[in-house]
Amino acid sequence: MQFIPQKRGKYMLISASGRLDASWAEHFTATFREYIRQGWHHILLDAGDMNYLSSAGIRALVQVTKLVQSVNGSFQIIQANSFVESTLKMTGFGNWLIPDYPDDMPQAEEESAKIENDGFETHLLDGSASLKLSIPAGWLPWKKTDKNSHVKMCFSKQEFALGIGAPDQATTDSGLLMGEFLAVDGNVVYQPPREGEHPDFLLAEKDYQPAMHCIQALYCRGDMSHLLRFSPTDKKLYFGIGEVAEKALLETKSPMAGFVLLAEIDGLVGSAIVKSPGLLQENHSISFPEIKEWISFCGERVYSRQQALVFGVAARQENKEGHVLLPASNMYPGLYLHAHAAVFPYQPLESGIIGMKEATERFFNGPSPLALFHLVEDSRPVTGLGESAFIRGVCWCAPINNHQEELLWE
């Protein structure tokens, strides 16, 4: 088969020629999935030169329809020849056929915009919204912990957090299970401190509030003020986590901001605890190579083309020393950033302004998360991996209206 795409306003018009049968069904689905991944959610198939359609081909059309419907898009077929039209009607899919182009579709393909942009579009959600930051648990590596240093935290809606902790449970000593976690709108993803272990998750449902015993936590409560969307441009293929954090600070006009990012991954750079800090017998300075017994570093950029759910706290402060709870960036002078990322199998996101609660719940109620990382920079010359970066996605952010100077800055 051959495909000729045309961008017509919000529509992607694709003229297809050839046979849509078992030999071409997988290629057809992959091609259209890529258009949807790129943000084209209203697809019009010109089937005038499609000379054959089999059951395998119809199955491919069904898959494309389900994908666009998952993001409130549309899939329609125009100018189908008599064979394709009769096949669709006899199999019960005649509703895909339309007699003419949609009224709101431009008659000709639009030229690409000549204005240079940074790939971001910004939407103000609530100019009065903000977050309040607290640090209920402030463990610093590598200090001995005990039950007196564990803080039990319950997470409900409008609450966001990242840190190190263990799920609340009846029998096991939580000190043996301290690993990274993030909480978004009350839902928690937790990485057990064992190499190769899949993350676990706890969902806020009805009266249930996920609970964690934490030794370290950055905690925010409140509402998001802005929505940022970003997607590739002709000159920009991906967006670094530091770049997104700086954009959040700029748009919120605040020296400190919290943000939730849901985006397709270009490559993550991160680490994870593989040995619980609760096993420390004394305060200890751990250096290389012993550190590899406690922390696993990814070693390469990972999880390309999957989806990341990130919660982070960012700040821009001059003449400050970085702190372990908000370390200084080596790649963005003056930026301080702490972020955790949960990896999910890719799902397309709706276009336009979307709600954080609805968007994140789709992922929590879908396939299980694949991994959880503490995002780090690897700025080593030549061999360094750089920073985590994303292809396209959304970022909800808000100013943090209180600063705990005595904890965040040395």
Side-chain angles (χ1 to χ4, degrees):
M1 294 194 75
Q2 292 186 335
F3 305 104
I4 301 175
Q6 294 184 52
K7 301 173 183 178
R8 300 280 192 93
K10 71 177 183 179
Y11 295 94
M12 175 62 78
L13 172 63
I14 304 172
S15 300
S17 60
R19 298 168 60 88
L20 183 49
D21 55 17
S23 298
W24 286 100
E26 186 174 342
H27 175 67
F28 180 94
T29 305
T31 300
F32 279 67
R33 183 183 290 116
E34 185 60 29
Y35 288 128
I36 296 166
R37 186 186 283 265
Q38 293 173 8
W40 295 99
H41 298 160
H42 296 278
I43 294 179
L44 197 60
L45 174 63
D46 184 337
D49 292 326
M50 186 187 297
N51 52 40
Y52 182 72
L53 178 63
S54 72
S55 295
I58 291 175
R59 183 174 297 176
L61 295 174
V62 169
Q63 290 177 331
V64 172
T65 303
K66 288 181 177 179
L67 283 171
V68 296
Q69 288 178 345
S70 72
V71 288
N72 291 327
S74 62
F75 174 75
Q76 296 167 312
I77 299 175
I78 193 169
Q79 295 186 352
N81 59 40
S82 58
F83 177 83
V84 171
E85 181 179 353
S86 62
T87 300
L88 289 173
K89 288 181 176 179
M90 287 188 294
T91 53
F93 296 104
N95 59 308
W96 288 337
L97 298 165
I98 57 174
D100 201 355
Y101 295 110
D103 293 337
D104 59 343
M105 190 182 83
Q107 293 184 357
E109 185 170 13
E110 298 175 328
E111 293 186 8
S112 299
K114 302 298 184 183
I115 300 174
E116 293 293 335
N117 63 72
D118 61 1
F120 285 94
E121 72 180 51
T122 303
H123 303 276
L124 178 64
L125 302 177
D126 183 351
S128 64
S130 65
L131 298 171
K132 184 175 181 180
L133 171 72
S134 64
I135 305 175
W139 176 79
L140 303 179
W142 291 87
K143 296 183 181 295
K144 180 182 177 181
T145 67
D146 56 37
K147 290 185 177 181
N148 293 326
S149 60
H150 299 180
V151 177
K152 183 176 179 179
M153 299 179 64
C154 296
F155 299 101
S156 60
K157 300 300 181 182
Q158 296 180 294
E159 295 181 343
F160 313 90
L162 59 80
I164 301 171
D168 184 34
Q169 48 198 320
T171 55
T172 306
D173 181 2
S174 60
L176 304 178
L177 298 174
M178 293 291 171
E180 275 100 356
F181 75 91
L182 68 76
V184 172
D185 203 32
N187 301 305
V188 176
V189 182
Y190 154 75
Q191 181 65 53
R194 292 182 292 271
E195 195 152 13
E197 188 92 358
H198 283 286
D200 203 353
F201 57 97
L202 305 166
L203 306 184
E205 296 181 313
K206 296 183 179 179
D207 295 331
Y208 173 71
Q209 294 183 348
M212 298 283 290
H213 292 275
C214 303
I215 58 173
Q216 186 185 99
L218 286 174
Y219 166 87
C220 290
R221 179 174 177 82
D223 293 311
M224 297 299 180
S225 61
H226 291 74
L227 168 67
L228 312 177
R229 295 200 74 114
F230 57 92
S231 58
T233 67
D234 291 341
K235 296 183 178 180
K236 191 174 189 61
L237 301 179
Y238 56 83
F239 300 78
I241 181 66
E243 183 180 4
V244 176
E246 288 203 317
K247 186 69 171 179
L249 291 168
L250 175 67
E251 296 298 336
T252 59
K253 298 180 174 61
S254 174
M256 186 174 293
F259 63 90
V260 172
L261 173 69
L262 190 56
E264 181 183 354
I265 299 166
D266 176 71
L268 292 185
V269 181
S271 63
I273 291 173
V274 294
K275 188 175 180 181
S276 173
L279 297 173
L280 287 165
Q281 299 300 310
E282 58 185 2
N283 294 345
H284 189 25
S285 177
I286 301 177
S287 58
F288 187 84
E290 184 186 358
I291 191 67
K292 295 195 297 183
E293 299 178 11
W294 298 85
I295 292 179
S296 173
F297 178 64
C298 63
E300 62 181 354
R301 297 169 64 81
V302 293
Y303 291 106
S304 174
R305 308 284 282 179
Q306 302 293 351
Q307 203 91 2
L309 173 64
V310 180
F311 172 64
V313 174
R316 176 158 287 285
Q317 296 282 349
E318 301 300 331
N319 303 316
K320 294 290 186 180
E321 294 292 331
H323 190 279
V324 68
L325 296 178
L326 204 60
S329 167
N330 293 320
M331 301 177 66
Y332 299 85
L335 177 68
Y336 300 82
L337 175 64
H338 193 161
H340 286 187
V343 180
F344 288 86
Y346 174 80
Q347 295 184 48
L349 296 173
E350 292 181 43
S351 302
I353 299 175
I354 59 176
M356 181 182 61
K357 177 179 180 296
E358 295 76 15
T360 56
E361 280 188 352
R362 273 186 60 207
F363 285 83
F364 280 112
N365 292 322
S368 298
L370 305 173
L372 187 140
F373 286 110
H374 172 117
L375 299 186
V376 301
E377 290 180 352
D378 182 9
S379 55
R380 295 173 297 172
V382 183
T383 60
L385 301 177
E387 63 175 331
S388 297
F390 308 92
I391 300 171
R392 62 178 56 83
V394 294
C395 175
W396 299 270
C397 56
I400 290 175
N401 60 17
N402 67 309
H403 305 164
Q404 295 201 5
E405 296 282 344
E406 71 280 4
L407 287 177
L408 286 173
W409 311 113
E410 293 179 343

